[in-house]
């Protein structure tokens, strides 16, 4: 693992000036964009895998090669874990990497997280835990709506409930997420990630080796 990751660089120095207006608009106006057929197929396959299993459900959204999903499935053997990522390449790397070591309570799913979340909400799913580990920060101010808290899917993320945990090496991303949650009536805690905590993802390990400050946001969604 190379310790050569550059810090996030942004033309923002504080919360985005359009954050509140954007979040309030999304909270008040349901997102009506068409759902992709491949997301419907992925959701149906995940639902079939879950079957009638009554174990609590954990989502690891944007799981990459699945390192974090494997760790979470081992940490919470009483739950079922779905690792979601849109990259077939990354997921196949994960399957090759872990092979038969993939826990029986884990399924890796190729899908767009935004579409999957909407389908999960429509199906009445309620999560025990939801992880957003080092999402793409989209650091340019013009890209606010590509960040999860600025995306129109944000209300659907909230509707899934559960204990939300998000991590980033860009503190401002999580500060904005906390502000967006507050607009939805949800209190969040933002703290530095302890240096002695085992890395959950390859990015987390690389950022730590590169000397970045790492941050964790936690919140209980209704």
């Amino acid at each position: 693992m190379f310790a050569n990751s550059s810090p996030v660089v942004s033309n923002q120095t504080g919360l985005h000036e359009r954050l509140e207006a954007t979040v309030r608009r999304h909270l008040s106006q349901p997102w009506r964009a068409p759902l992709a057929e491949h997301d419907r197929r992925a959701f149906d396959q995940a639902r079939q895998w879950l079957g009638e299993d009554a174990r609590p459900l954990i989502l690891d959204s944007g799981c990459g090669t699945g390192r974090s999903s494997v760790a979470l499935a081992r940490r919470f053997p009483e739950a079922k874990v779905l690792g979601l990522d849109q990259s077939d390449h990354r997921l196949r790397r994960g399957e090759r990497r872990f092979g038969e070591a993939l826990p029986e309570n884990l399924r890796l799913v190729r899908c767009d997280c935004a579409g999957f979340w909407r389908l999960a909400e429509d199906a009445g799913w309620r999560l025990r835990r939801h992880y957003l580990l080092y999402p793409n920060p989209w650091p340019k101010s013009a890209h606010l709506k590509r960040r999860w808290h600025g995306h129109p899917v944000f209300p659907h993320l909230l509707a899934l409930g559960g204990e939300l945990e998000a991590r980033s090496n860009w503190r401002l991303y999580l500060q904005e997420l906390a502000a967006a949650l507050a607009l939805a009536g949800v209190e969040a805690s933002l703290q530095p990630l302890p240096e002695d905590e085992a890395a959950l993802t390859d990015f987390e390990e690389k950022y730590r080796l590169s000397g970045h400050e790492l941050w964790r946001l936690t919140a209980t969604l209704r």
Side-chain angles (χ1 to χ4, degrees):
M1 184 67 66
F2 297 104
N4 59 357
S5 180
S6 300
V8 176
V9 176
S10 174
N11 57 345
Q12 280 185 232
T13 57
L15 300 184
H16 197 287
E17 61 182 8
R18 296 292 300 167
L19 177 67
E20 181 173 351
T22 299
V23 173
R24 289 195 184 279
R25 183 172 66 257
H26 292 157
L27 290 173
S28 64
Q29 298 176 3
W31 191 29
R32 302 298 189 188
L35 289 161
E37 188 58 35
H38 65 82
D39 288 334
R40 293 186 185 276
R41 289 195 300 269
F43 181 77
D44 286 342
Q45 291 168 3
R47 182 162 51 182
Q48 290 173 15
W49 177 73
L50 291 173
E52 300 300 321
D53 198 316
R55 283 183 284 181
L57 178 61
I58 296 173
L59 286 191
D60 182 19
S61 295
C63 67
T65 61
R67 173 176 170 175
S68 53
S69 304
V70 170
L72 293 170
R74 291 172 177 167
R75 181 184 301 179
F76 301 106
E78 76 286 359
K80 299 199 83 170
V81 179
L82 289 173
L84 313 180
D85 202 273
Q86 66 179 352
S87 171
D88 183 61
H89 174 68
R90 286 193 290 265
L91 292 175
R92 288 186 183 277
R93 280 181 55 204
E95 289 172 350
R96 291 194 298 269
R97 177 179 183 179
F98 297 104
E100 295 181 359
L102 284 173
E104 62 81 24
N105 62 329
L106 168 64
R107 181 69 176 262
L108 299 178
V109 180
R110 182 192 179 192
C111 64
D112 177 75
C113 291
F116 195 97
W117 296 346
R118 290 174 63 195
L119 290 163
E121 180 193 3
D122 289 345
W125 287 15
R126 296 288 292 178
L127 306 181
R128 174 66 60 83
R129 296 177 179 273
H130 197 168
Y131 289 84
L132 302 174
L133 302 176
Y134 303 91
N136 188 330
W138 294 105
K140 294 181 180 180
S141 61
H143 291 161
L144 170 65
K145 294 180 182 178
R146 298 189 180 186
R147 303 170 195 164
W148 285 133
H149 46 272
H151 194 286
V153 80
F154 183 62
H156 303 276
L157 165 65
L158 300 178
L160 293 176
E163 298 295 324
L164 176 68
E165 179 168 335
R167 299 186 185 185
S168 180
N169 64 328
W170 190 33
R171 186 183 183 189
L172 184 56
Y173 187 100
L174 297 183
Q175 289 175 321
E176 285 192 348
L177 176 55
L181 288 167
L183 291 170
V186 177
E187 183 178 353
S189 173
L190 177 57
Q191 303 291 337
L193 189 69
E195 293 184 2
D196 59 352
E197 185 160 330
L200 269 180
T201 77
D202 291 336
F203 280 121
E204 186 166 278
E205 184 174 0
K206 184 174 183 178
Y207 295 151
R208 180 171 284 154
L209 291 173
S210 300
H212 296 194
E213 284 189 298
L214 305 180
W215 300 88
R216 170 166 55 198
L217 176 147
T218 55
T220 301
L221 304 182
R222 298 173 182 173

